[in-house]
Amino acid sequence: MAAYSLSIVGVLSLCFLSILLAVYSGSSKGRAGALSGPVLPADDGNLLYRIDRVHMNAVEALTPFVVPAILAMMVGVRPATLATLVWIYTAIRLIHIAVYLRGGNAAKGGSIRTVLYVSGALVTIILIAVTAAAAIH
C-alpha cells in the first residue's frame, strides 16, 4: 500500500475536509442562533446557507469519489494515475469551497462554481472508468 500513500493522504484529506466543514457549519448555525437542519432563506446571498450548502456538497460528493478510489487501489490502478486523479479532485473541491464561501456572482449557479462542481464529477467519472478497466483486465 506504500505505493498508494499519496492517494491515501488525498482521500483522508477529503474526509477531514468534510469533518471540518461539518464543524464550521454547526458552529456557524449555533452562533447565529439557527436550528440544526436546513438554513432559510435558501439563498446564495445568505452566508449561513452557503456554509451549510458547501458542507452538504462535500458530503454528497465524498462517497462517489472515495469508493472508486479505494477500489482502484484494490484492483491495481497505477499509483501515479490514481494520485493525479485524487489530487486534481481535491484541488477542485478546495477551489469550489473557496468560491462558494466567498459569495458574490461567482457563488451563484451557472457560474464558476457550477463549472467546478461539474469538473469534479467528470474526474469522478474518469476514476470510475479507470478503475473498471483495471478490474476487467
Side-chain angles (χ1 to χ4, degrees), residues 25-50:
S25 178
S27 65
S28 296
K29 288 177 184 178
R31 282 193 308 276
L35 298 174
S36 62
V39 175
L40 298 173
D43 176 13
D44 287 332
N46 178 355
L47 176 60
L48 197 56
Y49 173 76
R50 290 194 318 272

Side-chain angles (χ1 to χ4, degrees), residues 77-90:
V77 169
R78 288 186 47 227
T81 300
L82 182 58
T84 300
L85 291 170
V86 167
W87 285 103
I88 288 171
Y89 182 81
T90 302

